[in-house]
Amino acid sequence: MLGTVLHAPGDIRCEEVEDPQILHPTDAIIKLSASCICGSDLWPYRGLQPMNQPMHMGHEYCGVVVEVGSAVRTVKPGQFVVGSFCLSDNTCPHCRFGFQSSCEQREFMSRAQAPYARVPLADGTLVATPEMPADDLIPSLLAASDVLGTGWYAADAARVQPGSTAVVVGDGAVGLMGVLAAKQMGADRIIAMSRHKTRQDLALEFGATDIVSERGDAGVARVKELTGNVGAESVLECVGTQESMTQAMNCARPGGNIGFVGVPHGVQLDGQGLFFAQKSLLGGPAPVRRFLPHLMDLVLKREINPGRVFDLTVPLEDVAEGYRAMDERRAIKTLLRV
Amino acid sequence: MLGTVLHAPGDIRCEEVEDPQILHPTDAIIKLSASCICGSDLWPYRGLQPMNQPMHMGHEYCGVVVEVGSAVRTVKPGQFVVGSFCLSDNTCPHCRFGFQSSCEQREFMSRAQAPYARVPLADGTLVATPEMPADDLIPSLLAASDVLGTGWYAADAARVQPGSTAVVVGDGAVGLMGVLAAKQMGADRIIAMSRHKTRQDLALEFGATDIVSERGDAGVARVKELTGNVGAESVLECVGTQESMTQAMNCARPGGNIGFVGVPHGVQLDGQGLFFAQKSLLGGPAPVRRFLPHLMDLVLKREINPGRVFDLTVPLEDVAEGYRAMDERRAIKTLLRV
C-alpha cells in the first residue's frame, strides 16, 4: 500500500510501504476513513526534532476494523472506531486514574497516514460508534483522535470552570480546539490570541469572545486590560516554545491554572519564578482516551463540529503539498484522503 | 526595645532597635505573645541568599493589639490576633480568589523577632480570637502564622483528597505541618520522608503512616514500592532544592499534584521533562490568610497541636543559640520568649 515517509527535514514522500499485519494478539487492523497531518508532525519536518532514519508518519486515525488479533474482545471487524494517538491498555492504574497517556504499556501510534493501519492494544485504545457514521462526520471523528482531544485536555488541565475566563495561546488547530473545549466547559469569556484572520474567524465560530492579536508582553498587557488587570483563571498553552509558555504564564492570574499541550521545545522554567508567580501547571500528551466517548458522542449528536479545523483536503499522494501548506501556515490542518 | 538583626551570614544578634510605630492609618501595633525562627530565616543566615545590609528578622507572630491606625476597623486594642507572614488587604481580586499571598498590596512581615511589631494592612491581615486564648495554646497559634499555614497550603496545592496517598518531602517544621495538614484533609496514607528519629517520631504523631528514610532515587524507589509501583496522588515539597524537587516530581503518579512551598533556590525545571512526567505543579508563598480562621479554630478546639513542632525555647536574648540549633538541625523549630 501507499504510506507517508519523512526521509529528511522537508522531504516527505508518499511511497510504497508494507501492509500492516497483526503482530500481537491485542492488535487490530483498521481501514482508515481519512487521515491527516498534525502540527507536531511539523517538528521533525522542520528539522527541529532529531531523526536518525526515515520516519513513517501519521498518528491520527479513524475507520473500520478489518481484522483483530486473537485476544481482542471489545471491537470486531465491520465496526467503525476512533482511537487515541496514545495507545493504552485502559486497565492499568494510570489509565484507571484517567491518564491513559501515561499507560504502563503506552505506545504512540504511527504509520497512520496510509489507507490501513495496525492499532496495538486495540481493546484499550479503540472506541466503536453504535452504527456507521455519516460521511460528513468523518473529519470531526478523526479530529477526536488527537487534535480535539488535545485541545480538550488543555482546557481540562487548565481547569476551565463554568463562568470563568480562559485564554488560549496559539491559534493552530489545537488552540482552536481548545477554544471549542473551553466553550463546551462553560467558560464565559474566551480570549483567543491570534494574528491571522482566518484563524480568528474560526476561533470566533468555536466560541471565542475576544481576539488578542498582540503577542509577548503586548499580548499579556491586552489580556490584563480585558480582565480588569487580573489575568485569567485558565490558560491553554498550545504551542510549546519558551515565548508561548512565558506568555501563558503571564496571562494567568495568581492561583490560575495553565494547561500546556504544545510539546515543549527548549523550554526552561525557573523554579523561583514559578513559585512567586503562584500559578498551577499541568501538561503532557493528552489522555484522549478519557475524553473519547464523550467527544464522539458530541460529534455524533452534531453538537460540535471540530472537523471545521480542516481547511485543506488533499489525496494521500499529495501529502507533500499538505505539509508545505501547514508549514507555510497557508492551511490550519490538512485532511488526507486515503 | 530589643530585636534581632542579622548582620552577616552566621552573625545574628539581639540588640536595641527602634520601637515600632504606626506609620500608616491601616497599621496596628501588637505586643507579641511569642516569636520564633523560620526555616526560611536560615537561607540568609547560611549565606545562601544575598543581603546588602543588616536585616531585621522575624515574620511569624501572634499577640495582643496595643494600638491601631485611624483606618483600622476590624481589630482593636486588647484583642488577641494572629496574622499571616504575608500582609494582604483581603479585598483585592487576588485575595478574594483565595491567593492573599499575591495581594495587590502584598508586603512581607518583618521585625517580628521582638516584643512588639508593626502589622501593616491590619484589617486584611489579622484575625482575632473570640477571647484571650489559654497560654498553652500560644505556640500553636503562633504556628498558624506561617509554618502551619504553609504546610497546609502544601497539602492544599497538592490537592490532598480524602482517602488518597500523600508523600511529604522534607522533615523540617513545614514538612511536619504538611503531614498534619494531609491528615486533617483525610489522606489515608501519608508517607513522610525523613532520616531523623525525632522528626520521624513527630511525623508519626502528626499522622504519618509510613516513614521513608532513603533519599533521591532510593527514596523514590521506596515510595513506588509502597504504592504498588504507582506513586502518590499528592506530593508536598517542603525543602526548595533541585534534589528535593526532583524527588517530589518522581514520587508523584502521572496526573498527580505537587504542592511546593520550599522557596526554590537554584531549581530549574525542564519543560519537556515536566510535560512527559504529566504532573501538576503549584507552589508559592502560602496564602495563609485563606486558611487562618479554620486553623485557629482547630487550635482553639484543641483538635490539632501544631505547637509540638517547637522543640526548643529560648529567650529572645539567646536568639543566636536558637539559629545555631536549627542550622545544625539540633532543633526542629525554635520558639523565642519575647
Side-chain angles (χ1 to χ4, degrees):
Chain A
M1 67 173 188
L2 292 175
T4 69
V5 181
L6 182 68
H7 285 264
D11 181 9
I12 182 84
R13 302 180 205 167
C14 178
E15 61 190 32
E16 197 62 31
V17 298
E18 276 185 29
D19 287 354
Q21 293 183 1
I22 298 287
L23 300 181
H24 303 290
T26 48
D27 291 348
I29 305 294
I30 64 168
K31 179 179 191 318
L32 279 85
S33 300
S35 185
C36 59
I37 301 171
C38 181
S40 70
D41 293 333
L42 296 182
W43 290 108
Y45 179 80
R46 288 171 172 163
L48 299 174
Q49 186 174 302
M51 54 181 290
N52 304 319
Q53 53 184 33
M55 290 170 68
H56 291 76
M57 304 298 287
H59 53 262
E60 298 167 277
Y61 58 99
C62 67
V64 178
V65 178
V66 292
E67 189 183 352
V68 296
S70 58
V72 174
R73 294 286 170 270
T74 62
V75 294
K76 58 187 182 192
Q79 280 186 314
F80 183 91
V81 292
V82 185
S84 165
F85 71 99
C86 271
L87 310 161
S88 57
D89 62 25
N90 214 26
T91 58
C92 83
H94 303 318
C95 286
R96 293 199 310 271
F97 197 57
F99 284 82
Q100 289 91 342
S101 45
S102 288
C103 173
E104 288 176 351
Q105 301 197 58
R106 179 184 72 186
E107 296 177 46
F108 289 103
M109 185 67 179
S110 68
R111 301 174 181 249
Q113 288 168 1
Y116 292 87
R118 180 176 76 93
V119 183
L121 301 172
D123 274 340
T125 300
L126 296 172
V127 177
T129 55
E131 53 194 44
M132 201 55 60
D135 276 354
D136 68 316
L137 293 179
I138 297 298
S140 287
L141 289 165
L142 177 62
S145 176
D146 179 350
V147 67
L148 171 60
T150 295
W152 197 272
Y153 175 58
D156 184 79
R159 303 175 205 264
V160 172
Q161 301 291 325
S164 68
T165 296
V167 170
V168 181
V169 176
D171 63 359
V174 170
L176 293 167
M177 296 290 97
V179 170
L180 181 155
K183 174 74 178 173
Q184 286 289 316
M185 292 180 193
D188 244 12
R189 192 151 192 195
I190 302 169
I191 302 170
M193 305 191 83
S194 170
R195 299 194 293 189
H196 304 83
K197 182 71 172 69
T198 53
R199 292 157 192 253
Q200 292 174 352
D201 290 346
L202 204 46
L204 292 168
E205 182 181 323
F206 284 142
T209 55
D210 301 85
I211 300 289
V212 168
S213 55
E214 295 89 344
R215 282 197 186 181
D217 290 346
V220 171
R222 185 78 187 108
V223 167
K224 286 284 173 70
E225 202 179 305
L226 289 169
T227 56
N229 205 32
V230 170
E233 286 94 330
S234 297
V235 180
L236 291 64
E237 195 289 320
C238 305
V239 182
T241 62
Q242 185 75 52
E243 187 196 15
S244 63
M245 183 65 98
T246 302
Q247 189 171 313
M249 289 284 296
N250 292 338
C251 286
R253 65 183 298 169
N257 300 288
I258 296 147
F260 66 107
V261 296
V263 184
H265 282 71
V267 175
Q268 290 291 320
L269 298 163
D270 174 62
Q272 200 162 104
L274 193 59
F275 181 87
F276 284 104
Q278 197 155 43
K279 291 159 188 183
S280 169
L281 266 184
L282 174 61
V288 175
R289 181 63 182 82
R290 187 199 326 165
F291 313 121
L292 206 43
H294 180 54
L295 299 181
M296 290 167 66
D297 193 50
L298 288 173
V299 168
L300 293 172
K301 287 178 175 163
R302 297 183 185 272
E303 291 182 15
I304 58 174
N305 189 5
R308 286 278 289 125
V309 82
F310 294 108
D311 59 348
L312 176 66
T313 299
V314 298
L316 186 61
E317 291 78 356
D318 294 342
V319 66
E321 166 55 15
Y323 273 76
R324 258 196 313 273
M326 283 176 65
D327 179 40
E328 295 165 6
R329 291 182 77 84
R330 284 185 281 118
I332 298 172
K333 191 168 175 74
T334 303
L335 190 95
L336 299 171
R337 278 201 309 271
V338 291
Chain B
M1 66 173 189
L2 292 174
T4 68
V5 181
L6 183 68
H7 286 263
D11 181 9
I12 182 87
R13 302 180 205 166
C14 178
E15 61 191 31
E16 197 62 31
V17 298
E18 276 184 31
D19 286 355
Q21 294 183 358
I22 298 285
L23 300 182
H24 302 290
T26 48
D27 290 350
I29 305 293
I30 64 168
K31 179 180 190 318
L32 278 85
S33 300
S35 186
C36 59
I37 302 171
C38 181
S40 70
D41 293 334
L42 297 181
W43 290 110
Y45 179 81
R46 288 172 172 164
L48 298 174
Q49 187 175 300
M51 55 180 290
N52 303 319
Q53 52 185 32
M55 289 170 68
H56 291 75
M57 304 297 288
H59 54 263
E60 298 167 277
Y61 58 99
C62 67
V64 177
V65 178
V66 292
E67 189 184 353
V68 297
S70 60
V72 173
R73 295 286 171 269
T74 62
V75 294
K76 57 186 180 194
Q79 280 187 314
F80 183 92
V81 293
V82 186
S84 165
F85 71 101
C86 271
L87 309 161
S88 57
D89 61 24
N90 214 28
T91 59
C92 83
H94 304 318
C95 286
R96 292 200 310 272
F97 197 58
F99 285 82
Q100 289 90 342
S101 45
S102 288
C103 173
E104 287 176 352
Q105 300 197 59
R106 179 183 73 186
E107 295 178 46
F108 289 102
M109 186 66 179
S110 68
R111 300 172 181 251
Q113 288 167 2
Y116 292 88
R118 181 176 75 94
V119 184
L121 300 172
D123 274 339
T125 300
L126 296 173
V127 178
T129 54
E131 53 194 44
M132 200 56 59
D135 276 354
D136 69 316
L137 292 180
I138 297 297
S140 287
L141 289 165
L142 177 62
S145 177
D146 179 350
V147 66
L148 171 60
T150 295
W152 197 273
Y153 176 56
D156 185 79
R159 303 175 205 263
V160 172
Q161 301 291 325
S164 69
T165 295
V167 169
V168 180
V169 176
D171 64 0
V174 170
L176 293 167
M177 295 290 98
V179 169
L180 181 155
K183 174 75 177 172
Q184 286 289 315
M185 293 181 192
D188 245 12
R189 191 150 193 196
I190 301 170
I191 302 170
M193 305 191 83
S194 170
R195 298 192 293 188
H196 303 82
K197 181 71 171 63
T198 54
R199 292 159 191 254
Q200 292 174 353
D201 290 346
L202 204 47
L204 292 168
E205 182 181 324
F206 284 142
T209 55
D210 301 84
I211 300 288
V212 168
S213 55
E214 295 88 343
R215 282 196 185 182
D217 290 346
V220 171
R222 183 79 188 109
V223 167
K224 286 284 174 69
E225 201 179 305
L226 288 169
T227 55
N229 205 30
V230 169
E233 285 93 330
S234 296
V235 180
L236 289 65
E237 195 288 322
C238 306
V239 182
T241 62
Q242 185 75 52
E243 186 196 15
S244 63
M245 183 64 98
T246 302
Q247 190 171 311
M249 289 283 298
N250 292 339
C251 285
R253 65 183 300 172
N257 300 289
I258 296 147
F260 66 107
V261 296
V263 183
H265 283 72
V267 175
Q268 289 292 320
L269 298 163
D270 174 62
Q272 200 163 104
L274 193 60
F275 180 88
F276 284 104
Q278 197 154 43
K279 291 158 189 184
S280 170
L281 266 183
L282 173 61
V288 175
R289 181 62 183 80
R290 189 201 323 165
F291 312 121
L292 206 44
H294 180 53
L295 299 181
M296 290 167 65
D297 193 51
L298 288 173
V299 168
L300 293 171
K301 288 179 174 161
R302 296 183 186 272
E303 289 182 16
I304 59 174
N305 190 5
R308 287 277 291 125
V309 82
F310 295 107
D311 58 349
L312 176 66
T313 299
V314 298
L316 186 61
E317 292 77 357
D318 295 342
V319 65
E321 166 55 15
Y323 273 77
R324 258 197 314 273
M326 282 176 64
D327 179 39
E328 295 165 5
R329 292 182 76 85
R330 283 185 282 118
I332 297 172
K333 191 168 175 73
T334 304
L335 190 94
L336 300 171
R337 279 200 309 270
V338 290

